[in-house]
Amino acid sequence: MNLFTIPLRNIRRRPSKTLLLLLVFSLGVMSIVALYQVSLVVGYSLEKKLTTFGANIVISPATEKLSVSYGGFHLGDMVFDVQELPEGKTSQAIRSIKLQDRIAAVAPKLVSMTKIGDTSIALVGVHWPEERGIKSYWAAANGRFPEKPDEILVGSQAASKLGMQVGDVVSIYGKNFSVSGILFKTGSDDDSVILVELGVLQTLLNRPDATSFIEVAALCAGCPIEDIVDQISMKLPNTEVKALQNVINQRMASVHFVQKLALSVSLVILVTAAAMIGLSMLSAVNERKKDIGILRSLGYGKSQVFMIFCLEAGFIGALAGFIGYVGGFGASFKALEYLALSEGAVPVFAVAHLLLASAVFALITIVAAVYPAWKGASVDPTTALVAL
Amino acid sequence: MLSAYNITKNYQTNGRVVPVLKEVSVNISEGEFVSIVGRSGSGKTTLLNVLSTLVRPDSGELKYRDDNLALFPEKRLNRLRQSDFAVIFQFHHLLPYLSVLENTLLPFMSSLRPVSKQRVQQARAGLERVGLADKADRLPGNLSGGEQQRVAIARALVKSSRVLFADEPTGSLDKETGKQIMGLLMELHQEGLTVVMVTHEPGYASLAERTIAIEDGTIVH
Ligand SMILES: Nc1ncnc2c1ncn2[C@@H]1O[C@H](COP(=O)(O)OP(=O)(O)O)[C@@H](O)[C@H]1O
Ligand SMILES: [Mg+2]
């Protein structure tokens, strides 16, 4: 028996009213939780899809003097012999950072200048699966993507400059390659280069394990890209790790849009539910003027009367938060199933979140009850008792 | 022990100022049993409420022991009502959703600290005293008017209040029950409790050691 007994007993006295209030608020909490969970998963899968449209982190050797450009950063033809990243070690380091689950793709590259006939051309060694993973927009205008080690893919501009066609055989560093496909115009540096399997190029150049730079596609939802960049930098001290901010910003804008939408709908639901609680408490204050008069005559201060109303609202809020969180969690699975989004990411149930939800919704109902509680506390005890 | 000097109290009704108490002075000694009589609307309840600190007078002085209650902040008045003063009204004593026992312990439930076992014992003893030991776990709705009144008295006992203010405690009761309640009040008075009682009934008023008659907000004797 303590102050809490009073609101608790009062709640029990009106089971139907309390249940109704609880139902409405629980449903509100439920839709908010479900919306939040769904928006997280949708945001995540959206971002995952967006990573196939290019990398957002570039890792390169710390070089100072560079002249040829590819991929938005520079290489010097005379320098790259010395400036290179060991492929195995670097890729492994990237994959082993603390936020490794945020790394969607690692695409290493080796760039080399060569001459075909009289024309200088950049030769870029790539791992086909990784490269195509971050460049889903790539399409072969003619032919197909290379499948064998001695096949190459030629950028559209390079092909026209060199007059190359699908099926042509070209000699590069003394080895014959056949053109398996010509890339559609991409508008990027890829248009003016010849792409070849990385391992083949490394062998040809007698630089096993060498890469010029590595592109990384990272998922930034839920953690800042700076953290990922920092963690990679720590693992790779002699490299330059650069986040492509404009790519990231664009991508996060799409993801955030989904989440902001969910947030605004949640806010509307929340305000409505809180208003209901507030209104119900306000009518309760009028019904309970006599109770207030009795309590005041027994020495209860205004603050204690205030507390009784806040405790009552807070109790309903906490209970609704609990029920709503569990319910909303279940509902989010149904919703994701319905949206066919269940693979990829799954909402994660956390007891800490459940308790947090209870606490937060208790706080919200308490805030909603502040005005009614204040009204109750201000009731003049004598008029309350005179009013029959 | 409790004295009021030149108390005035006005109420605003429909924009008009209505004087309810006009320079009323009362002096109540420790252990005294005082009744307040007067016609309906004469200001008895208002005077009682001023004495029990439920209503702040517009002017005048209120002294309890050596304290000037007019200077007390709200918090100290609350504490006084919690400890020394007990009030019983004509109706509405009990919270309908709390059991009889809980209602008896209500003065001690004002914080999150649980009520002590010792208090619960006292409350049961108090209920025993007023003859309601077997109804401790009932809700007030199941009690008769007289029984509800007795719960309020038991509550005053548990608080070990020094002054009991009663506003027409028998007003809503039948004759027999009213007599029982009066008997109980007399008993408590004989044990040293100071009682200030507003009543309509001359028979009960005469049980008091002293009667204050009030008419139109003025004490006539
Ligand atoms: N809170 C109040 N507001 C306005 N008028 C009041 C209030 N309380 C009492 N009164 C008026 O004061 C007068 C005295 O009331 P009260 O003290 O209750 O008299 P009694 O108890 O003797 O019947 C009545 O005219 C009543 O209408
Ligand atoms: Mg009266």
Side-chain angles (χ1 to χ4, degrees):
Chain A
M1 255 179 275
N2 61 12
L3 190 64
F4 198 36
T5 309
I6 300 169
L8 219 55
R9 292 277 189 278
N10 182 50
I11 285 171
R12 214 179 53 176
R13 168 174 63 158
R14 303 217 162 111
S16 52
K17 189 185 162 187
T18 306
L19 274 178
L20 189 71
L21 211 57
L22 203 58
L23 186 76
V24 170
F25 205 66
S26 298
L27 278 175
V29 175
M30 203 170 123
S31 27
I32 291 166
V33 171
L35 256 174
Y36 174 75
Q37 295 284 3
V38 169
S39 80
L40 273 191
V41 173
V42 168
Y44 180 81
S45 68
L46 182 66
E47 200 197 357
K48 220 170 168 187
K49 283 195 181 113
L50 288 172
T51 59
T52 65
F53 292 92
N56 50 14
I57 296 176
V58 177
I59 299 154
S60 55
T63 46
E64 278 169 27
K65 224 176 184 183
L66 302 159
S67 55
V68 179
S69 101
Y70 173 77
F73 73 101
H74 309 274
L75 298 157
D77 4 6
M78 304 311 292
V79 208
F80 60 67
D81 283 330
V82 237
Q83 303 292 339
E84 60 187 35
L85 293 170
E87 186 196 341
K89 229 179 85 190
T90 315
S91 298
Q92 202 219 327
I94 297 165
R95 291 276 186 198
S96 66
I97 62 165
K98 222 180 186 168
L99 291 165
Q100 49 182 275
D101 58 319
R102 310 262 90 195
I103 305 289
V106 178
K109 285 174 194 65
L110 179 61
V111 183
S112 161
M113 292 302 292
T114 186
K115 278 200 167 176
I116 292 178
D118 285 334
T119 318
S120 283
I121 191 101
L123 203 56
V124 180
V126 299
H127 279 313
W128 292 115
E130 277 83 357
E131 201 61 23
R132 290 182 60 188
I134 61 168
K135 288 175 180 168
S136 63
Y137 53 87
W138 268 7
N142 285 302
R144 51 168 177 75
F145 286 99
E147 281 161 9
K148 288 180 233 144
D150 63 348
E151 289 180 334
I152 55 172
L153 187 67
V154 183
S156 62
Q157 226 176 306
S160 63
K161 210 159 89 180
L162 296 166
M164 278 185 182
Q165 306 254 316
V166 173
D168 284 0
V169 174
V170 240
S171 169
I172 300 169
Y173 293 127
K175 182 176 159 54
N176 282 346
F177 287 90
S178 81
V179 176
S180 78
I182 312 270
L183 258 188
F184 246 115
K185 226 178 157 60
T186 61
S188 71
D189 292 333
D190 293 334
D191 290 349
S192 51
V193 301
I194 293 174
L195 295 140
V196 61
E197 164 58 37
L198 178 61
V200 174
L201 187 60
Q202 284 169 339
T203 316
L204 270 184
L205 295 174
N206 199 22
R207 286 161 63 194
D209 206 39
T211 61
S212 307
F213 66 99
I214 295 180
E215 287 186 303
V216 174
L219 304 168
C220 329
C223 72
I225 190 81
E226 284 73 25
D227 288 359
I228 301 175
V229 168
D230 283 352
Q231 291 182 10
I232 296 176
S233 303
M234 292 273 271
K235 289 260 179 189
L236 300 168
N238 282 315
T239 59
E240 193 181 333
V241 183
K242 225 168 47 179
L244 305 181
Q245 287 298 346
N246 54 341
V247 176
I248 293 153
N249 292 343
Q250 268 173 23
R251 223 164 261 177
M252 290 321 287
S254 327
V255 174
H256 286 154
F257 174 76
V258 174
Q259 284 161 0
K260 270 185 204 152
L261 194 69
L263 190 71
S264 6
V265 175
S266 297
L267 266 179
V268 172
I269 297 173
L270 199 65
V271 168
T272 314
M276 262 207 63
I277 299 263
L279 273 176
S280 143
M281 294 301 288
L282 202 59
S283 75
V285 165
N286 286 326
E287 282 166 31
R288 286 161 70 187
K289 276 193 172 156
K290 283 168 204 158
D291 297 8
I292 297 166
I294 292 165
L295 292 171
R296 300 278 282 137
S297 77
L298 289 174
Y300 280 62
K302 287 183 182 185
S303 60
Q304 284 144 340
V305 174
F306 187 84
M307 272 275 275
I308 288 172
F309 284 97
C310 287
L311 283 173
E312 186 168 327
F315 179 76
I316 291 175
L319 205 59
F322 191 91
I323 297 170
Y325 187 84
V326 174
F329 201 77
S332 65
F333 278 99
K334 279 271 165 240
L336 288 171
E337 208 179 289
Y338 180 72
L339 294 169
L341 274 169
S342 29
E343 23 63 65
V346 178
V348 188
F349 190 87
V351 176
H353 286 172
L354 174 65
L355 297 180
L356 190 73
S358 292
V360 165
F361 289 110
L363 206 70
I364 289 166
T365 42
I366 288 173
V367 169
V370 160
Y371 176 70
W374 173 79
K375 282 277 273 194
S378 319
V379 165
D380 176 6
T382 55
T383 48
L385 290 166
V386 166
L388 290 179
Chain B
M1 178 191 199
L2 180 65
S3 46
Y5 302 104
N6 289 337
I7 298 286
T8 60
K9 179 72 191 174
N10 302 321
Y11 279 119
Q12 295 263 4
T13 16
N14 306 325
R16 256 176 349 109
V17 177
V18 182
V20 176
L21 296 178
K22 305 166 190 163
E23 304 199 334
V24 171
S25 298
V26 183
N27 196 345
I28 292 153
S29 324
E30 179 134 29
E32 206 178 6
F33 186 169
V34 178
S35 64
I36 301 174
V37 296
R39 271 185 316 191
S40 183
S42 56
K44 304 183 295 293
T45 296
T46 308
L47 176 60
L48 196 76
N49 287 342
V50 166
L51 293 174
S52 70
T53 73
L54 277 174
V55 165
R56 275 209 194 252
D58 294 338
S59 68
E61 244 179 78
L62 186 63
K63 270 196 165 161
Y64 174 64
R65 305 194 141 178
D66 293 325
D67 295 317
N68 186 351
L69 300 188
L71 300 177
F72 266 31
E74 178 86 22
K75 277 216 165 94
R76 281 192 73 180
L77 289 183
N78 289 337
R79 231 177 300 146
L80 194 67
R81 283 203 298 273
Q82 195 181 18
S83 57
D84 289 24
F85 291 177
V87 191
I88 29 183
F89 307 100
Q90 192 172 350
F91 329 89
H92 316 309
H93 320 280
L94 310 178
L95 297 192
Y97 39 90
L98 295 186
S99 73
V100 165
L101 182 69
E102 285 163 343
N103 264 294
T104 315
L105 287 165
L106 203 49
F108 308 105
M109 284 162 59
S110 62
S111 80
L112 289 173
R113 195 154 23 103
V115 176
S116 71
K117 281 218 167 68
Q118 191 196 343
R119 290 283 187 209
V120 178
Q121 285 307 314
Q122 284 172 10
R124 289 198 184 276
L127 288 172
E128 176 100 52
R129 171 92 197 259
V130 299
L132 289 172
D134 53 330
K135 295 186 174 164
D137 298 318
R138 295 230 192 148
L139 287 180
N142 300 325
L143 300 186
S144 70
E147 286 172 329
Q148 293 189 28
Q149 202 74 280
R150 281 189 274 161
V151 176
I153 294 172
R155 183 159 62 198
L157 285 176
V158 179
K159 279 190 340 158
S160 41
S161 305
R162 294 170 187 282
V163 189
L164 180 75
F165 299 94
D167 193 356
E168 305 195 32
T170 58
S172 62
L173 307 177
D174 60 67
K175 260 219 154 65
E176 199 47 47
T177 321
K179 259 190 202 156
Q180 280 174 18
I181 296 294
M182 277 313 295
L184 201 52
L185 288 185
M186 290 299 293
E187 237 179 271
L188 297 177
H189 159 60
Q190 267 143 32
E191 285 165 23
L193 184 70
T194 309
V195 180
V196 183
M197 179 183 73
V198 167
T199 186
H200 248 24
E201 302 180 44
Y204 292 150
S206 65
L207 290 175
E209 296 162 321
R210 183 156 66 96
T211 298
I212 296 170
I214 187 164
E215 220 168 82
D216 276 338
T218 319
I219 290 183
V220 285
H221 70 256

